[in-house]
Every structure is written in structure tokens, then in C-alpha cells.
């Protein structure tokens, strides 16, 4: 499945504030070359992945890791968000202790966002923190989870409620793995790539507009460049605001409405669709507030529409608002959103990157997009 | 129980590398003035304490916190190390979510080391980290847990194996709480204070040598100064080495043998006694290795002996070595110890603060101190 000759096509340097900088390498055949990313002084290794990814890619990764001669334990968990629990975290930790891992051990997280969240959180708290190397195997994990250091698990009270900021030592994004990716999962990543372009990089937006609506050749060199560019956008935004209090909030574009839709539809909408729909709604909100011109709003909408994800049954705006109020980011019942001012830039006023949005504007946009007629 | 007029006797500034600096205030009547330590922008509060401490001190702390007008939830757990588990952590977190706490909430940790470890770890990972204020109520927690940012829980595989570095926003050490402290718990703290003096401050050692062997007046102003001095020693050592790779290792004096004894006696030895015994043994090891003069070794032993903690039944040196090998710090079976070079300074060679100790030297010292005749 995976090319044997590794090509290190692109390298993005990430410099989180208050933590060591690291590199994200985007290329092909990287899974089989993961041993090159290990630092000196590592005592032993844990390879953590879900069962689906294990069947596809664990053998080639294990083979590369075994070249180091270090003791290696492979720990699998059932695929899916349902595994992002305290119980799975405890089981992985106990397996690591059982295997004799210590504070000089290193975790290799192989898989999508669930794996980097879960295995990253395990590493963040294992003996108060050990190193990780991330091997993302989904487009979303490549363009989103590789930068920012967010790790965590879900609790009965909600998603990602318990976790830590923990940056990896290195990330190797092997686009060869994208060939096996479910098209809906491709969309999850693509929505984030479009978001990155809208919030900070018009040239990247233009490049994405050249994509065919039916995506293939996801393992090509051209695609590797698009992925690396998207990672670089996020790295630029996050590096000057690592704890999510200032400009980093622009990365929330599409997510206030999007997360509300996810809650309203009980997570039956894919994340990519929810964010795509959220971006369309929030762009319309920005237009209604006089922050965004109609022509730019239409450009955003047209690009998203190309991937056929914007149809949605009727949405009750009252129920959506109630769902949004349960979002941890909507503090004290106020609706605040990061909104675009044009394609490639976000609205900023007096150092603040979020805008208070009147409830009536949200209701009007929801009716317009997904009212009974829609 | 607690003085109503607070006196802020001493302030120690702590400047951890890579994290915000904070102050440790040592004084009297501080529990009833905890509201003065709260920063702006806090949304709500959780007061976390064990049931024993709750009965003694929660009312006065709650009264002070209620003056802020902020929503407050009090969360209690059963006293003792047995509560330092994943299950207790989850229960505290769930109670916090239930009470509607968010990422702007603050945790007040009221109690001894178990509480600051547990509540600190909860805070470290609650929505990826919220602020804490520590109110230590044991001598050990005051002189040890207030500096260094270590938090964590125990797992079936051992103590403190899962955790995080998380520094408090402020610490208020109210020596009024020491009046109610069990004498064995006083010894736990005193052993650490003696350790701090041995590793870095001969003047503090001289001051401790003036203490009466039967400790009382633990809530006096003089005692507050001794406590503050001890905190300042640790703060000095830790501030230039926050992640425990360099000079901070000198704080491990007495703990290699001490921790081995704790494991050997299945934690039936108090931590203070184990560390006191460990310091005596490690000082003798330093002497045998030619690093410490006999006169200094004797000064350390005499001071510890004054508190009547050095008697111990026979110890099987083989069993002790086996127990020490299970310690997470004894990597790859090598015995390494931080050893004193005189009272107030530790041995350093070529930038390294730990010394490889031959097994035979450990065996000889164990036989000498706690052999069959002992």
C-alpha cells in the first residue's frame, strides 16, 4: 500500500509559544521511514492506533520502528469517537506500564484525530509527560490536529472536555494513506483547508478553487503541497497565540454554527459537512452585519457548494440556538463568532477577533438557508 | 480555630521556567482571606478538599470565597492516599461539569499533598487547564507541594504515575492549620525541611538545629519564617530546572533509599520517616565514596536523630535493592543518587548531580545501619 522510497516533499516548521518547536513533514512513503524521526535517548516505544488503521498501516510502521532495536509495544483500540474515553486512556496507560515503559519512552500515534487526541493525551500525562510522534492518516488530522497541541477525551458531559496542550516532537504526514480514505473523511479535511484559506490566505483559496469536484490523486505531489500550505496557515495563526485567547479564535470560523448543527443532529452530520454548513451560515451573518461583501460571501459559498455538501433538511432555529448555548465556547449565553471581512482575512475590531451577533440575525440566516421551504 | 485578622508574614516568589510566576504567601489567618488571592475574570469556583479537612476548614474558606459573589461548588472526597485515583479524578470532574464550571473557572485546593496532587491534576486537564489556588494545610504540603508544579494520581502500577506539571496561580500557606496536625505528619514536613537545608542552605540547617525536639508553637511567627525559608530554597533549586533533568535532582536526596524503604515496608513507614532514614543511609554512602566528611555526615545524622525516627527493624539488603529497582527513577537497573558534599551543598561532577553507586556500598551501609544486630 505504501511507497517504499520515502519522499520528504514539504517541511513546515511549527513554533508554539512556551514549548519546543517541531517540524511537520508532508510527503510519501513516510510511514516506512518513521525511524528517521526518532530522537536520541529514547528508552522504548509504544505504537498506538485503532484496529482499522492497525490492519492497514501498523506492519509498515512497526517494521521501521523495529530497525531502531528499541523495545516496542503495539496498543490497539476500537476505531471511532466512542473510544475517546477515560476508560480507553486508562487501558492504554496500563498496557504501557505493563510493558515497562518509562519517562524516556516515546508514543507513536498512528491514525486520525481520535488517535492523536487520545494517544496525545496519554503521552501528556504518562509520568507527567513523554514525547510523541504523530503519524496522521486522515486529511483532517493532517491539516488540523498536527498543529496546536490539543489533546483530550470526551466525558458524559461533552466532547473534548478533559485534556491537555501537548505538542509532538515531530509529525510525518504520509499522503499515501489518503488513498484509502473514505470520501466523507476527505470532506472533513477539505472543509478545514477551505476554512484556513478563508481566514488567512486568499492565494490558497484560489488554489483550492482549481480542484476538481471529484477528488482523486490524493497521494500526488501537488496534493502534498496543498496539504503543507494548509498546515502552514494554521501554524502561522497558532504560533503567535498558543492558548486560544486572541487571534487564534479566527480558526473558529464556521464552528459556532457548525458545532451547534452537530449537537442538533446528535453527531449524525460529519464534522466536515457541519463546518461547511457553518461557514456558509456565518459568511451570510457577516454579510448581514455589513462586515463582508456579497461577492466574497458568494465565492465562499460557491467553493463549498462544488463538493455537494450544502443540502440540509429544515432546521428549527430555536432548537439550533439551544444547542449552541450548550457549546462550551458560548460563555454566559452570548453569541460570539469569528467572521470574515473578505476571502483571506477575518474581521478585527480593537484587538478583538470575535463579534457579538444578535440572535435575530442568526434566526434570519437559518430561515433563509434551511427554513421550511429549504 | 483560625485567626480572623490575616497576617501575610512572608512572600516567596516562584518563577518556574516556561510558566507564569506566582507567589507563595506564608502567614496566619490566610484561609479566611483567600478571596484576596483571586484574579479578575474568574467565572466560578470549585473548592476541593478531603472530608477531614472539610470539617475543619471548609466553612472559613467558603465564607471568604462567598464574599466574591461567584458561584461556588464544594467537592469532597475521602481522606487518604487511596483517593488519589482515576476514579476520584473523574468524580470531581463530573461534579464540576454538573455545576456548570467552564474554562474561566478556578479550583481552590484545600488540604495536604493528596489534595494538591489530585485537585491540581483535575485543574491541569479540565478543559485543557484552568487556574488553581493552593491552600496547603500540612507542613509537607507547604514546604514541598507548593513549588514544582507536580500533580498526579496513582495507578495499579504505582504512585504518581499519571499526572501533569501545572503551577498554581497563588499559594496561601496558613500556619494556623498546623496546630491541628498529627505529629507524624509534622515529621513528614520536617524531614523535607531538613533535606532542603542539607542540599542547599547551611544557615537554614543551623536554624533547624535550634528547634526543640518536641515541636509545638507551629503556628508562631518564627515557625512561619522557617517554613518560608524552606519554600524559598526549593523555589531557588526548581526555578532554574523545572523539568527535573539537571540540578533539581539534588532534591532527590534521601529519596532513593527512602522510596525503596517505603516500597519494602508496603507504605507502612510514613514518608517523613522513610526520607529521614534515607538521608542517613545516603549520607553514609556519600562518606564511603569519599564525597562527604565524617563530621558533616554526623551533623546530618544527629539532627535527624533528635526527632527519634531513626530506629528501624532489620532490613534485608537484597529485598531493599529489589524494591529500589521497581522505582521509576532507577532507570535500566543502575543505582544513581544525589549525594551531599557537605551540609548545604551537593556533589556535582561535570554538570551531573547524580552519582553512580556500586551495589556493594549500598549493601554495606544497610548492614551497618539496619543489619540483623540492629
Amino acid at each position: 500500500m505504501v511507497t517504499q522510497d520515502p519522499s520528504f516533499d514539504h517541511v513546515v516548521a511549527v513554533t508554539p509559544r512556551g514549548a519546543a518547536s517541531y517540524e511537520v513533514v508532508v510527503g510519501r512513503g513516510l510511514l516506512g521511514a518513521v525511524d528517521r524521526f526518532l530522537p536520541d535517548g529514547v528508552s522504548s516505544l509504544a505504537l498506538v492506533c485503532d484496529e482499522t488503521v492497525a490492519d492497514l498501516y501498523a506492519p509498515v510502521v512497526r517494521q521501521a520502528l523495529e530497525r531502531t532495536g528499541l523495545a516496542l509495544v503495539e496498543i490497539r483500540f476500537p476505531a471511532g469517537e466512542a473510544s475517546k474515553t477515560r476508560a480507553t486512556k486508562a487501558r492504554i496507560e496500563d498496557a504501557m506500564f505493563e510493558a515497562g515503559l518509562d519517562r524516556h519512552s516515546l508514543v507513536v500515534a498512528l491514525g486520525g484525530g481520535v488517535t492523536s487526541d487520545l494517544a496525545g493525551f496519554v503521552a501528556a500525562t504518562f509520568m507527567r509527560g513523554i514525547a510523541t510522534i504523530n503519524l496522521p492518516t486522515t486529511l483532517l488530522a493532517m491539516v488540523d490536529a498536527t498543529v496546536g497541541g490539543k489533546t483530550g477525551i470526551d466525558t458524559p458531559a461533552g466532547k473534548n472536555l478533559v485534556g491537555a496542550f501537548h505538542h509532538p516532537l515531530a509529525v510525518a504526514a504520509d499522503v499515501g494513506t489518503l488513498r484509502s480514505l473514505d470520501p466523507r473523511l476527505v470532506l472533513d479535511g477539505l472543509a478545514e483547508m477551505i476554512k484556513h484559506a478563508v481566514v488567512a490566505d486568499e492565494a490558497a483559496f484560489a488554489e483550492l478553487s482549481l480542484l476538481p469536484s471529484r477528488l482523486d490523486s490524493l497521494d500526488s505531489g501537488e496534493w502534498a503541497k496543498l496539504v503543507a500550505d494548509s498546515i502552514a496557515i494554521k501554524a502561522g495563526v497558532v504560533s503567535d497565540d498558543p492558548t486560544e485567547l486572541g487571534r487564534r479564535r479566527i480558526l473558529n470560523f464556521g464552528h459556532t454554527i457548525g458545532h451547534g448543527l452537530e449537537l442538533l443532529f446528535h453527531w449524525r452530520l460529519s464534522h466536515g459537512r457541519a463546518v461547511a454548513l457553518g461557514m456558509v451560515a456565518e459568511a451570510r451573518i457577516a454579510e448581514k452585519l455589513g462586515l463582508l461583501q456579497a461577492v466574497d460571501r458568494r465565492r465562499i459559498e460557491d467553493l463549498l457548494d462544488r463538493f455537494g455538501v450544502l443540502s440540509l433538511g429544515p432546521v428549527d432555529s430555536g432548537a439550533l440556538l439551544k444547542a449552541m448555548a450548550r457549546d462550551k465556547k458560548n460563555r454566559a449565553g452570548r453569541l460570539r463568532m469569528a467572521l470574515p471581512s473578505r476571502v483571506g482575512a477575518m474581521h478585527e475590531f480593537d484587538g478583538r477577533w470575535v463579534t457579538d451577533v444578535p440572535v435575530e440575525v442568526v434566526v434570519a440566516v437559518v430561515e433563509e438557508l434551511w427554513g421550511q421551504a429549504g
Side-chain angles (χ1 to χ4, degrees), chain A:
Chain A
M1 287 293 286
V2 177
T3 351
Q4 284 311 302
D5 269 347
S7 61
F8 294 62
D9 295 342
H10 304 277
V11 178
V12 182
V14 185
T15 51
R17 191 157 58 184
S21 58
Y22 63 94
E23 290 182 344
V24 181
V25 177
V26 184
R28 288 158 293 163
L30 300 181
L31 295 189
V34 60
D35 51 314
R36 302 198 198 173
F37 295 88
L38 291 178
D40 289 336
V42 171
S43 60
S44 51
L45 300 167
L47 172 61
V48 181
C49 53
D50 72 36
E51 285 158 5
T52 308
V53 168
D55 290 340
L56 287 168
Y57 301 118
V60 66
V61 173
R62 218 168 38 221
Q63 199 176 22
L65 292 174
E66 280 164 359
R67 280 199 291 270
T68 65
L70 294 170
L72 167 67
V73 59
E74 183 183 321
I75 303 167
R76 301 175 176 208
F77 59 88
E81 183 83 21
S83 282
K84 248 176 75 176
T85 59
R86 292 162 173 154
T88 316
K89 177 175 188 268
R91 205 172 55 70
I92 295 171
E93 288 164 352
D94 289 344
M96 288 165 65
F97 288 121
E98 177 73 25
L101 270 67
D102 62 30
R103 62 177 67 186
H104 304 279
S105 302
L106 182 145
V107 169
V108 177
L110 169 70
V114 167
T115 302
S116 62
D117 280 1
L118 179 60
F121 190 32
V122 166
T125 63
F126 189 84
M127 291 181 150
R128 300 199 190 93
I130 62 173
T132 56
I133 288 179
N134 281 352
L135 304 177
T137 60
T138 69
L139 186 56
L140 180 61
M142 288 180 188
V143 299
D144 188 38
T146 53
V147 175
K150 287 187 180 179
T151 70
I153 52 167
D154 307 331
T155 80
K159 291 178 93 166
N160 298 317
L161 291 181
V162 174
F165 286 96
H166 187 65
H167 300 277
L169 208 66
V171 180
D174 188 335
V175 295
T177 62
L178 300 179
R179 248 184 309 188
S180 64
L181 203 60
D182 181 313
R184 281 172 311 163
L185 294 182
V186 174
L187 178 71
D188 284 347
L190 191 63
E192 288 296 315
M193 291 171 77
I194 293 172
K195 183 196 79 178
H196 288 166
V198 170
V199 304
D201 192 335
E202 187 169 13
F205 190 91
E207 289 221 54
L208 290 171
S209 302
L210 300 176
L211 281 178
S213 62
R214 199 180 157 288
L215 294 168
D216 45 20
S217 316
L218 289 178
D219 56 341
S220 70
E222 294 72 23
W223 188 250
K225 183 181 181 316
L226 290 175
V227 169
D229 286 350
S230 196
I231 293 168
I233 295 171
K234 182 167 181 190
V237 172
V238 168
S239 69
D240 54 27
D241 183 24
T243 53
E244 212 173 46
L245 299 170
R247 182 163 178 255
R248 181 171 175 163
R249 290 190 169 201
I250 67 176
L251 295 173
N252 215 33
F253 173 54
H255 282 63
T256 310
I257 300 279
H259 196 201
L261 290 170
E262 284 183 301
L263 287 168
L264 187 63
F265 286 88
H266 301 287
W267 306 99
R268 284 190 307 267
L269 276 183
S270 78
H271 183 70
R273 266 193 79 195
V275 169
L277 292 159
M279 287 193 281
V280 167
E282 293 180 19
R284 290 206 177 189
I285 288 167
E287 184 188 2
K288 282 200 196 301
L289 294 178
L291 307 175
L292 181 72
Q293 295 204 315
V295 58
D296 276 331
R297 189 264 299 160
R298 216 171 295 124
R299 280 179 76 193
I300 296 168
E301 222 163 280
D302 287 350
L303 178 53
L304 289 163
D305 193 37
R306 291 248 310 286
F307 302 100
V309 294
L310 297 189
S311 59
L312 188 68
V315 171
D316 181 299
S317 56
L320 178 62
L321 285 165
K322 213 176 271 179
M324 286 162 65
R326 282 192 285 137
D327 189 327
K328 62 185 170 180
K329 280 174 184 145
N330 295 320
R331 192 180 160 196
R334 293 167 70 178
L335 279 171
R336 290 171 166 179
M337 298 179 193
L339 296 171
S341 59
R342 61 174 174 81
V343 170
M346 294 296 277
H347 175 68
E348 183 244 325
F349 179 74
D350 209 12
R352 296 187 48 216
W353 295 90
V354 288
T355 304
D356 284 315
V357 177
V359 168
E360 310 79 58
V361 177
V362 177
V363 171
V365 165
V366 170
E367 293 294 325
E368 208 174 284
L369 285 168
W370 312 305
Q372 294 306 325

